Amino acid sequence: MAKFELKELPYAYNALEPYIDEETLHVHHDKHHKTYCDKFNAACEAENVSYGTELEIFQNVSKFSMAIRNHGGGFWNHQFYWESMNGGNTKPGDELVNAINETFGSMDNFKDEWAKNAAAVFGSGWTWLIKDSTGKLKIVNTPNQDNPLMDIAKEKGTPLLVIDVWEHAYYIKYQNRRPEYIDAFFNVIDWEKVSERFSQ
Ligand code: MN3
């Protein structure tokens, strides 16, 4: 049976300062993400899950327990979130810019739409930019640790970008001010990575 491993952050813990602080990244990665990883492995073992990849599990997640759905989602979503950010100033590629302009009208409109969605997640969840099966861009929210790869997702697609809007993602620095965290997030998006995902 596959054993899922917690990877190191793809950058230093202080790489996203001042937008996302070092202490938050330590707690978020070393505690929260690690717990999802540990509990996902424990649930896979307890339930004799024989699927090899998270993707295979997500595509069949309705057949599994809530532990598999929650911890598997928590494990995968966080890795995808870390890899959606970096400390450099990156720019989206032409192909992605064109698609964003076509779908949202402009980059500024996309940002407004994104921020509105992320602010509107009730309780804990995630806001995603996805490419649906027709190749169209969409912003979607998922509750808890669900994601758009899961068979239970209302709107499915290939994830391109994500923001974690669970309180643990921002509370140390921003307390209850989620909109400030959402604003700050725009400074640390790895647009090169998002463009790469879009073109694949
Ligand atoms: Mn989180």
Side-chain angles (χ1 to χ4, degrees):
M1 189 198 319
K3 175 109 171 115
F4 297 101
E5 277 178 39
L6 183 71
K7 290 191 198 163
E8 299 286 316
L9 278 184
Y11 31 71
Y13 286 94
N14 63 3
L16 308 181
E17 292 270 9
Y19 307 108
I20 297 183
D21 60 293
E22 184 172 357
E23 192 187 352
T24 295
L25 279 190
H26 269 292
V27 175
H28 201 175
H29 175 274
D30 306 353
K31 309 278 188 221
H32 290 280
H33 192 188
K34 182 178 189 303
T35 300
Y36 287 114
C37 181
D38 292 346
K39 291 192 171 175
F40 183 38
N41 278 314
C44 285
E45 204 173 304
E47 298 174 38
N48 275 312
V49 174
S50 60
Y51 290 84
T53 65
E54 301 98 305
L55 186 61
E56 291 172 288
I57 293 174
F58 295 157
Q59 285 167 342
N60 295 281
V61 86
S62 57
K63 298 177 194 157
F64 293 109
S65 67
M66 283 309 285
I68 297 282
R69 176 168 158 186
N70 287 334
H71 301 306
F75 171 66
W76 190 90
N77 295 355
H78 282 94
Q79 187 59 39
F80 194 82
Y81 171 65
W82 309 135
E83 292 173 359
S84 293
M85 300 185 285
N86 77 23
N89 276 312
T90 60
K91 288 205 159 52
D94 290 345
E95 214 187 330
L96 179 60
V97 170
N98 290 340
I100 286 176
N101 287 339
E102 202 177 297
T103 307
F104 302 101
S106 67
M107 186 52 108
D108 282 345
N109 285 353
F110 161 74
K111 287 181 178 173
D112 285 349
E113 196 72 15
W114 175 268
K116 245 189 273 169
N117 272 264
V121 172
F122 182 76
S124 299
W126 303 75
T127 294
W128 307 81
L129 177 66
I130 62 168
K131 187 164 78 168
D132 74 9
S133 57
T134 68
K136 207 171 149 36
L137 293 179
K138 259 188 204 169
I139 297 171
V140 302
N141 290 343
T142 58
N144 305 312
Q145 297 294 356
D146 289 354
N147 69 47
L149 296 168
M150 292 181 172
D151 63 357
I152 49 80
K154 251 190 270 165
E155 295 178 280
K156 297 182 200 44
T158 306
L160 307 178
L161 173 68
V162 76
I163 182 170
D164 183 346
V165 291
W166 282 60
E167 250 179 17
H168 68 225
Y170 59 86
Y171 200 83
I172 293 171
K173 185 175 170 78
Y174 297 100
Q175 288 84 48
N176 61 330
R177 304 187 302 278
R178 189 194 286 180
E180 284 182 32
Y181 157 68
I182 295 167
D183 250 16
F185 177 77
F186 285 116
N187 295 290
V188 294
I189 294 174
D190 185 345
W191 282 112
E192 275 167 28
K193 176 65 88 175
V194 180
S195 303
E196 199 182 293
R197 290 164 175 163
F198 176 73
S199 301
Q200 269 166 9

